[in-house]
Amino acid sequence: MLPHAALSALAALLVATNAAPTSPVKKDLAFDYSNTKVRGVNLGGWFVLEPWITPSLFEEVNDDSVVDEYTLTKKWGDQAQSKMEAHWDTWITEDDFKEIASKGLNHVRIPVGYWAINKADKDPYVSGQLSRLDKAVDWARGAGLKMLIDLHGVLGSQNGFDNSGQRGDINWQKTDVGAKQTINAIEVLAKRYAHYTDVVTAIEPVNEPMGSNNALDMGEVKKYYYDAWGTIRDSNNDTAVVIHDAFQDMDNYWNGFMNAGSGTWNVALDTHQYQIFSDDQVSMSPCDHLSSARALGDKIKSTDKWTIVGEWTGAMTDCTQWLNGKGKGARYDGTFDGGSVYGSCDGKYKGETKDLSQNDKDNIRSFIEAQMDAYEQHTGWIFWTWKAESAPEWNMQELFANNLIPQPLDKDRQNPLQC
């Protein structure tokens, strides 16, 4: 028998939540991941804040110690609830879902933190996200979109990134509390949306656990994946369970794990492909970036389960303000750690896509085309991110508006770099 968590003792921990979406629909996996390409976008910065996506929220407090959602809500104190609700209700609306669908996209990946479901004692975070997530299910249904719900942040942080809610130490596995809290969150999500798999076709039990550099025990990560799979199956037999590659090799490491021969089903691997978070990567020429992206096609199609590139970007630099963390600079222009300078961040640090140089636009268009074609060698892709306040290389909504993403998505290849 496959291992999965026995959660009866935790039933009392389930938090009271708002009413689920209207019009329950019978359980079925409503997207054919074997034969239809996933073409989607992340709704980053909505339910899990990141300073580079919404810098205005962090700038208003004028405090260098505020670097993530944890410290921001702590700083806001009694104002946190009203400020976060105002953000949730305006950052993404039904109009965004309609526009996303109009571009030919078929999925949205929605990051949520554990604190939306079951806050820990003394957490400064605020809740109320699930009622908006319920609305998102209805909006997605109306637009004809499918939804992947992604547990983006877990108690103690699984990677130490600000996108986990709390930047700094990686404490997820330090106590039993973190694992129990995380499984409990997955149980709540699985039960809540079990009857809405016409829209919620996939759940990701944890985003980007730091499996490299021995930061996490990968044996425990794998056990958690089985536990989460079993917990989701207790509520629904079909919902796809999406496991992140934990920064391990997508085929050499993960082939053979939770594949069709393991006794599990409807499991997808999520891999995130960025070419900007090391000096070796930001030093690459535009044509080298394209070659690297194209080479990923063969790698991706060699995996033995559905494989989605669940995060990627058109950016060839890490220039965007606070992309590497609030208060940190960029590798590309040498301001991250005082290292080598590979180019200028002028026009890319902040601003709008329309104001990028024509050279930058050509680079982005060619890079996006190469990645789309490579990632569709297997199951497909989900771009990061739909919108940002001032990140011209990352804002998919603006990239569409400036003709830097093909329309239709499966045609219209221009490759302005010709390499």
Side-chain angles (χ1 to χ4, degrees), residues 194-270:
H195 296 284
Y196 304 92
T197 51
D198 64 313
V199 175
V200 183
T201 53
I203 295 175
E204 187 160 359
V206 62
N207 175 69
E208 294 185 347
M210 184 56 71
S212 59
N213 301 319
N214 298 313
L216 292 175
D217 181 336
M218 282 304 298
E220 288 299 311
V221 172
K222 289 180 174 181
K223 179 181 182 300
Y224 170 70
Y225 283 160
Y226 270 117
D227 289 346
W229 185 89
T231 298
I232 293 168
R233 288 289 166 265
D234 286 344
S235 293
N236 188 283
N237 209 39
D238 300 305
T239 300
V241 178
V242 181
I243 61 171
H244 186 265
D245 65 12
F247 305 105
Q248 302 288 347
D249 191 274
M250 70 179 80
D251 58 357
N252 292 333
Y253 187 88
W254 289 105
N255 278 355
F257 179 78
M258 295 185 80
N259 62 3
S262 71
T264 62
W265 59 91
N266 290 358
V267 174
L269 185 69
D270 175 20

Side-chain angles (χ1 to χ4, degrees), residues 322-386:
W322 297 344
L323 180 66
N324 293 304
K326 184 171 176 281
K328 298 182 179 182
R331 296 170 186 83
Y332 191 69
D333 67 356
T335 59
F336 179 70
D337 56 8
S340 299
V341 176
Y342 304 103
S344 171
C345 285
D346 290 350
K348 296 185 280 289
Y349 180 69
K350 57 169 56 176
E352 298 181 52
T353 305
K354 67 180 178 62
D355 297 323
L356 289 170
S357 70
Q358 188 58 51
N359 184 61
D360 285 334
K361 290 178 180 178
D362 289 346
N363 289 345
I364 289 171
R365 172 79 194 215
S366 295
F367 193 32
I368 285 174
E369 290 180 4
Q371 290 181 91
M372 289 169 63
D373 291 343
Y375 305 156
E376 290 194 16
Q377 293 293 308
H378 209 328
T379 312
W381 49 264
I382 304 176
F383 190 89
W384 188 280
T385 183
W386 174 240

Side-chain angles (χ1 to χ4, degrees), residues 110-129:
I110 303 185
V112 298
Y114 75 89
W115 55 93
I117 303 148
N118 51 0
K119 289 195 301 177
D121 291 342
K122 299 182 180 180
D123 269 348
Y125 299 118
V126 297
S127 300
Q129 299 90 331

